[in-house]
Amino acid sequence: MAEVTGTWIRGGTSKCWVFETEDIEATGLTPDEFLPRIYGSPDHRQLDGVGGATSTTSKAMLLSRSEEPDIDVVYTFAQVGIDELKVDWGSNCGNCSSTAGLYAVEQGWVELAQDMTYVRTYNTNTGQLIVQRIPTPGGALPESPTAMIPGTLYPGYEVGLGFVEPSGKTLGALLPTGRTREDLSVAGTSWPVTLVDAGAPAVILPAEAVGLVKIPHEDWTDAVRARLAELDQVRRAGAVAMGMATTAGEAERAVPKLGIVGPSRTDGADLEVLMLSMGHPHPAMPITGSVAMTMASFTAGTWPAEFADADADPQNLRLRTPAGVIATFADDSGPQLIVGADRTARTLASARLHLPAPVPMTAV
Amino acid sequence: MAEVTGTWIRGGTSKCWVFETEDIEATGLTPDEFLPRIYGSPDHRQLDGVGGATSTTSKAMLLSRSEEPDIDVVYTFAQVGIDELKVDWGSNCGNCSSTAGLYAVEQGWVELAQDMTYVRTYNTNTGQLIVQRIPTPGGALPESPTAMIPGTLYPGYEVGLGFVEPSGKTLGALLPTGRTREDLSVAGTSWPVTLVDAGAPAVILPAEAVGLVKIPHEDWTDAVRARLAELDQVRRAGAVAMGMATTAGEAERAVPKLGIVGPSRTDGADLEVLMLSMGHPHPAMPITGSVAMTMASFTAGTWPAEFADADADPQNLRLRTPAGVIATFADDSGPQLIVGADRTARTLASARLHLPAPVPMTAV
C-alpha cells in the first residue's frame, strides 16, 4: 500500500494535516483525489481515514519551498469535504496558515534568527504574502512551547501572521476619506465612524453609538444580532463614503467589514471588539479585521485610538473578542512594516499515512 | 517535547489508536493520564490532540506481547472520554479487538502460517481469550487488503474474532434445556424459541412469531422497537427456562440476549437476523450474539437451522443485520473449535505523537 508523509498540526483553533506538494504528486493523484481518499470522505465520521469529521478538523495545507528570492514557503489551504467527495479551494484559513510557519521552522527550511524568525509565506488561494514571525530565542525554537490562546488545551508556539505594509492596499490610503472620524447619515440618523483600509476596508463604530455599554466580559453578540439590518446599512453607507460603491445597494457583502469597538474595563485587554463578517457576528476575529483594528488603534484621532489604553503596546495589542483575548502586533523592526495577529501552533503527530486503494475489490 | 509511537488503525467500524503498553509506561504517565492528554480531552472537538471526537473514533488499544505459552498478545481496550477527562475501562470492543491481531501480524509478533494465521489474544477488560484468524496466503499478508464490510469506505484485512469452544461456557451445555426448540408461555401466549448458550446465553425467536415477514432488505428495527416490552418478557421467560433466574423479575438485563431470525429471501445472505442488546435493537450484531446464532445455525432442529440455507458454509455464514451482511465462521481446523465473526482492519497511519506538557504555563 502506498504511503505518504503527513504532519498533523494544531494551528490556532483548527487541526490541519500538512503535506508537502511533491509528496502528493508522487502518489500520482491530484490533490482533489488524494485528500478525500486519505481523509476518509465521504463519511460523516471520516471513520476510514485521518480526517477529524468537523469543519475545523477536516482541513489540509499543501506546502512547498519557494525558489523565489522573497518567498520562503508557498502554501495552499484546502477545506476537505466530510459528507461530500469535494475539496474547497476558495479561501484561505488564518488558523491553518500558522502551520506553514511552524512547519518551515521545524523542518529547517529557514535560517533561524537570534530573537524572532520571519518566514515569508505566499498563499495561493488569495494571492497574499503573509510574513509569519516566530520567537526563536538564542536562534532556536524552545523545546517546549508556552503560548496559550483561547479555545485550546495546551500551549503552542506563538506564530504571528503579518500582512506586509497593509495600509491602503485596496483604496490607496489608510484613511480613504482623509478623515480619522466622520458621521454617516443613514435614514435620518447620524452614525459616528472611522473608515480605514488596512488588511481590508473597514467601517469602525464606537460601541456607545449602538447603545452598548460593556460590563466586564459581557458578550455583545446577542445585542448586535438584533440590529444586523440597521448595522448593514451603516456598513453600506461606509462603502459609498470610501468610494467602493456609488449607492448603498451596490456595496459588496464581504467588504467593507464592520467592527464595533469600545474601551476595555477589564484587566488583560486594551479594547473590547466585535466584528461582523458576511452579515454575522464573528465568534472571534478574522485576521483582516485584526489588521484594520490595529492600524486604526495606533492612528491618533480614530475611534479605536480614542478608546485604547494610552500605554497599549504596538507589539502586543490585546483585543477582547467573544472568544477571548487575541493579541495583535504592528512590527516595524524589519525592512517593512508587518501587521497582524498571533496564533499558536503545535505539532500533534509526524506520520506515515497509508493510502488506500481507490475502489473496493471484493466483499466479505 | 516527549514523543510516543502510535499506530492508527480502523478496526471494524471503529477508529483506534494502538499503543504498546511499555511505550506509555516510558512517558511516566498512567494510561488514565496519558490517553486524555494525547487525545485532546476534555474538548468536544478534541482539537488539541489525536482523538476523533465521536464515541467510535475516541478509542484506544494498549497492547503487549505475552510471555504466556498459549497467548501471543495481551490487550486492554479504552474508551477515551471526549468532553470528560475520563477513561472507561469497563468493557471490550469487538471492532477495536481486531486491531490487536493485525498489529501483531504487521509487527512480526507472530510467525505467519501458509494459509491462515491464528493470533491468540487475551482481553484484560473481560478476561476473555479471543483467537483472531487472518488470511496469510503463501505465508504473508497480501500487499493490499481486499475485504469489505458494511460501514467502511475501503477494503481492509479480514480479521476473524473467534471464541474458543464457546458452547456451554455459562450454563454447561450448548442446549441448556436439552431441547433444540420449545415453547415459552408468557401471559397466556405461547412463544416458539430456541434456547442456546454459545458466546453468551441467548433466546432465539423465529421472525414469524413476532409477525415479521421480511421483504428483501427490509429493516425490522422499527417494528421490533414497538414491541420491546413484550419481547423482554419472552427473554426473561427464557432466562427462567435456562435456570439463570428463578423468576422473570430476577433475570439480568444484559443476559440472556434475544435474537430474531428468519429465512433470507435475498442473495448474499443465509439468514435475516436482529439482535436485542440491553433492551434495544442492535444496529449490527454484537460478537457474542453472532457466536450464539452461528452455533445454533449448525445444530439441526433449532430455529436458525430451520431457516438457514441447506448449503450454508460454516466458514462463511452470512447474517443480514440492519447494518448489512456480517460473515461468521465456525472453524475446527485447529486443535480447538473457534467460532466468531469477521471484521476488517486497516492501518491508517504509523506515527510519532507529540505529548504536550501537562499544564499551560504562560498566556499570550
Side-chain angles (χ1 to χ4, degrees):
Chain A
M1 208 172 345
E3 292 190 0
V4 180
T5 296
T7 305
W8 215 5
I9 305 182
R10 192 269 293 156
T13 50
S14 292
K15 193 155 77 167
C16 323
W17 279 100
V18 175
F19 300 99
E20 294 187 26
T21 306
E22 62 188 28
D23 289 338
I24 295 180
E25 284 169 1
T27 67
L29 299 176
T30 67
D32 284 299
E33 294 166 335
F34 171 81
L35 290 170
R37 192 181 303 173
I38 205 92
Y39 272 56
S41 302
D43 169 15
H44 71 283
R45 290 179 300 168
Q46 291 182 327
L47 175 79
D48 213 345
V50 302
T54 71
S55 61
T56 50
T57 59
S58 186
K59 298 181 166 194
M61 290 277 286
L62 278 52
L63 269 58
S64 57
R65 300 182 74 164
S66 169
E67 291 166 9
E68 302 285 327
D70 297 335
I71 299 174
D72 300 307
V73 181
V74 174
Y75 76 89
T76 303
F77 167 72
Q79 182 74 46
V80 183
I82 299 171
D83 285 318
E84 287 181 295
L85 195 63
K86 181 175 180 294
V87 180
D88 188 339
W89 305 96
S91 59
N92 186 22
C93 167
N95 285 314
C96 288
S97 292
S98 66
T99 68
L102 180 60
Y103 189 86
V105 166
E106 290 193 333
Q107 296 292 318
W109 286 5
V110 289
E111 197 175 329
L112 303 189
Q114 278 302 307
D115 180 30
M116 185 73 85
T117 295
Y118 293 83
V119 184
R120 299 161 302 172
T121 69
Y122 179 79
N123 172 247
T124 69
N125 306 90
T126 58
Q128 274 172 335
L129 182 68
I130 296 180
V131 175
Q132 306 194 20
R133 54 174 221 180
I134 300 180
T136 47
L141 204 60
E143 196 183 345
S144 288
T146 58
M148 281 300 291
I149 54 168
T152 62
L153 286 177
Y154 302 111
Y157 292 105
E158 187 181 307
V159 180
L161 301 180
F163 282 51
V164 181
E165 299 285 2
S167 296
K169 276 277 166 63
T170 304
L171 302 172
L174 173 65
L175 302 170
T177 63
R179 292 180 288 271
T180 54
R181 299 187 201 179
E182 56 208 277
D183 291 318
L184 296 176
S185 179
V186 177
T189 302
S190 181
W191 294 82
V193 298
T194 287
L195 302 175
V196 66
D197 172 20
V203 176
I204 302 176
L205 283 166
E208 59 199 29
V210 197
L212 296 169
V213 178
K214 187 133 179 171
I215 56 173
H217 290 237
E218 184 189 31
D219 189 336
W220 286 336
T221 304
D222 288 340
V224 165
R225 197 170 274 139
R227 303 183 68 175
L228 287 177
E230 192 178 8
L231 289 170
D232 196 55
Q233 290 307 312
V234 179
R235 191 186 69 78
R236 288 171 180 276
V240 174
M242 285 189 278
M244 298 174 69
T246 47
T247 67
E250 285 169 15
E252 288 179 39
R253 188 144 186 264
V255 284
K257 306 278 184 197
L258 185 133
I260 296 168
V261 64
S264 181
R265 310 239 164 111
T266 63
D267 287 339
D270 300 303
L271 288 171
E272 305 283 333
V273 297
L274 181 71
M275 211 82 194
L276 299 193
S277 180
M278 297 300 283
H280 297 285
H282 196 282
M285 185 67 140
I287 180 86
T288 50
S290 57
V291 172
M293 200 63 80
T294 303
M295 287 301 289
S297 296
F298 295 106
T299 302
T302 68
W303 282 111
E306 166 89 14
F307 297 135
D309 282 352
D311 58 351
D313 176 3
Q315 297 313 309
N316 186 30
L317 181 70
R318 299 158 305 166
L319 307 177
R320 188 183 301 279
T321 75
V325 174
I326 287 176
T328 75
F329 59 86
D331 181 347
D332 58 2
S333 65
Q336 294 176 299
L337 172 68
I338 63 171
V339 182
D342 285 335
R343 299 283 192 275
T344 72
R346 184 171 81 81
T347 299
L348 304 174
S350 308
R352 294 286 291 165
L353 307 181
H354 298 233
L355 184 67
V359 287
M361 282 167 286
T362 68
V364 169
Chain B
M1 210 176 338
E3 291 190 2
V4 181
T5 296
T7 305
W8 215 6
I9 305 182
R10 192 269 294 158
T13 50
S14 292
K15 192 154 78 167
C16 322
W17 279 100
V18 175
F19 300 99
E20 295 188 26
T21 305
E22 62 188 29
D23 289 338
I24 295 180
E25 283 168 4
T27 66
L29 300 175
T30 66
D32 283 300
E33 295 166 334
F34 172 81
L35 290 170
R37 191 180 304 173
I38 204 93
Y39 273 56
S41 302
D43 170 15
H44 71 283
R45 290 179 301 167
Q46 291 182 328
L47 175 79
D48 214 346
V50 302
T54 70
S55 61
T56 50
T57 59
S58 186
K59 297 181 166 194
M61 290 278 285
L62 278 52
L63 269 59
S64 56
R65 300 182 74 162
S66 169
E67 291 166 7
E68 302 284 326
D70 297 335
I71 299 174
D72 300 307
V73 181
V74 174
Y75 77 89
T76 303
F77 166 72
Q79 182 74 46
V80 183
I82 299 171
D83 284 317
E84 287 181 295
L85 196 63
K86 181 175 181 290
V87 180
D88 187 340
W89 305 95
S91 60
N92 187 23
C93 167
N95 285 314
C96 289
S97 292
S98 66
T99 69
L102 180 60
Y103 189 86
V105 165
E106 290 193 332
Q107 296 291 318
W109 286 5
V110 290
E111 197 175 327
L112 304 188
Q114 278 302 306
D115 181 31
M116 185 73 85
T117 295
Y118 294 84
V119 184
R120 298 160 305 173
T121 69
Y122 179 80
N123 173 247
T124 69
N125 306 88
T126 59
Q128 275 172 336
L129 182 69
I130 296 179
V131 175
Q132 305 194 21
R133 55 174 221 179
I134 299 180
T136 48
L141 204 60
E143 197 184 342
S144 289
T146 57
M148 281 300 290
I149 55 168
T152 62
L153 286 178
Y154 303 110
Y157 292 104
E158 187 181 307
V159 180
L161 301 180
F163 282 52
V164 181
E165 299 285 1
S167 297
K169 275 277 165 66
T170 305
L171 302 171
L174 174 65
L175 301 170
T177 62
R179 290 180 289 271
T180 55
R181 298 188 201 179
E182 55 209 275
D183 292 317
L184 296 176
S185 179
V186 177
T189 303
S190 181
W191 295 81
V193 298
T194 286
L195 302 173
V196 65
D197 172 19
V203 177
I204 301 176
L205 284 166
E208 60 198 28
V210 197
L212 296 168
V213 178
K214 187 132 179 172
I215 56 173
H217 291 235
E218 183 189 32
D219 188 337
W220 286 337
T221 304
D222 288 339
V224 165
R225 199 170 273 141
R227 302 184 67 176
L228 288 177
E230 192 179 9
L231 290 170
D232 196 55
Q233 290 307 311
V234 179
R235 191 186 70 79
R236 288 171 180 277
V240 174
M242 287 190 277
M244 299 174 68
T246 48
T247 66
E250 287 168 13
E252 287 179 39
R253 187 143 186 264
V255 284
K257 305 279 185 197
L258 186 133
I260 296 168
V261 64
S264 181
R265 308 239 165 109
T266 62
D267 287 339
D270 300 304
L271 288 171
E272 304 282 333
V273 297
L274 181 72
M275 211 83 195
L276 299 193
S277 180
M278 297 300 282
H280 297 284
H282 195 283
M285 185 67 141
I287 181 88
T288 50
S290 58
V291 171
M293 200 62 80
T294 303
M295 288 300 289
S297 297
F298 296 106
T299 302
T302 67
W303 282 111
E306 165 89 13
F307 297 135
D309 283 351
D311 59 351
D313 175 3
Q315 297 314 310
N316 186 31
L317 181 70
R318 299 159 305 168
L319 307 177
R320 188 182 301 279
T321 75
V325 174
I326 287 175
T328 76
F329 59 87
D331 182 346
D332 60 1
S333 65
Q336 294 176 300
L337 172 68
I338 63 170
V339 182
D342 285 335
R343 299 284 194 275
T344 72
R346 183 172 81 82
T347 299
L348 304 174
S350 307
R352 294 286 292 164
L353 307 181
H354 299 232
L355 185 67
V359 287
M361 282 168 284
T362 68
V364 169

